Amino acid sequence: MLDSYAVIGNPISHSQSPLIHTTFSHQTDQAMQYEAILAQQNGFPAAVTAFRQQGGKGMNVTIPFKLEAYQLSTRLTERARLAQAVNTFRFDGNQILGDNTDGAGLVRDIESNLDVPIATKRVLLLGAGGAARGAILPLLEQKPSVLAIANRTIHKAHTLHQQFISYGHIVSGDFMDFSGEHFDIIINATSSSLHDALPELSPSNFTHQSLAYDMMYSNKPTRFLEFAKQQGVNHLADGIGMLVEQAAESFFLWRGIRPKTKDVIAMLQSKVST
Ligand code: ATR
């Protein structure tokens, strides 16, 4: 029997994870299968239990279950504990190991694929929800000169600042608090792009040399990336690379092998743009 993995969420039909992991398994010669599971809003624990009972080895968890996955885990990696969210389960006997590979995927995409080292850079992280929280530790581990956390609702930015204060140099505020300051890397971790909206950013945050990175992706440039382009930013990236890199990190947790991601990213980019 093949080792069995799945992505679980609601909705799930749009998920690219089965395609990504099936491509990884062929590339690395792993005898495994990967499926998508739709769980009802109140049916997440039962669906996970059923998959484990059928012999499932691990899962990816997506919206809206990352917090429930965190609560269901019996062991957590440090990055999942600090993210307070789990996007990857590995079933080890009776234990459920919960990990969060989203932030590591973001960092790998920025550093390896986009060729922008984070060390000594000034980084602006927009948002203070689950997506931003998961990125903070992996970003700080690369030793930026400063990580500025900016959020529309300022107290949430201050709360994250306090929680991560011992891990690196952080400042926090609302968007206008950083008006007039330049940043090398500006990451949109708000959910604004989902609603085709734009955070009220200061145009002065961008320079021609900045990297503007949106964690979201769609078949056209997001409002955030369009805004960055209008400010003269040439280096723009959406979240497709992060999506593939977080998957590669999960694959590594399960199989101990790091798949190559470049061709998979290119494949998804052409799929999304058509
Ligand atoms: P996620 O898990 O995707 O991060 P979330 O926890 O609901 O989702 O957080 C959404 C984030 O996007 C928050 O930082 C939110 O700002 P508030 O805390 O002020 O609500 C941010 N956000 C959503 N839409 C936004 C918009 N149009 N402009 C600015 N920030 C926005």
Side-chain angles (χ1 to χ4, degrees), residues 61-62 65-67 69-71 73 76 80 83-89 97-100:
V61 181
T62 186
F65 299 124
K66 291 185 186 185
L67 183 60
Y70 171 76
Q71 287 156 349
S73 303
L76 290 166
Q84 293 177 9
V86 157
N87 78 333
T88 307
F89 284 143
L97 174 68
D99 193 6
N100 190 316

Side-chain angles (χ1 to χ4, degrees), residues 2 65 99 102 105 116 118 120-121 133 146 151-152 156 164 175 178 192 211 215 224 267:
L2 298 176
F65 299 124
D99 193 6
D102 287 330
V116 177
I118 295 168
T120 75
K121 298 287 170 56
R133 174 187 286 281
V146 65
N151 197 48
R152 180 174 61 183
K156 291 194 206 165
F164 286 88
F175 299 130
F178 299 107
S192 61
L211 166 66
M215 286 195 191
F224 167 76
M267 172 183 73

Side-chain angles (χ1 to χ4, degrees), residues 127-132 151-153 156 175 189-192 195 197-199 216:
N151 197 48
R152 180 174 61 183
T153 310
K156 291 194 206 165
F175 299 130
T190 75
S191 54
S192 61
H195 323 296
L198 179 69
M216 305 281 165

Side-chain angles (χ1 to χ4, degrees), residues 5 9 14 26 30 40-42 47 49-51 67 76 84 88 103 106 134 138 146 155 161 176 197 228 261 266 274:
Y5 298 88
H14 67 288
H26 291 159
Q30 294 292 294
Q40 296 313 311
Q41 294 289 343
N42 58 359
T49 303
F51 186 69
L67 183 60
L76 290 166
Q84 293 177 9
T88 307
L106 169 74
V146 65
H155 77 85
H161 182 172
M176 280 308 132
T261 52
T274 51

Side-chain angles (χ1 to χ4, degrees), residues 230-249:
Q230 283 159 14
Q231 313 318 315
V233 176
N234 295 312
H235 205 172
L236 308 165
D238 68 17
I240 288 183
M242 175 177 172
L243 173 74
V244 174
E245 294 296 346
Q246 63 77 29
E249 197 75 19

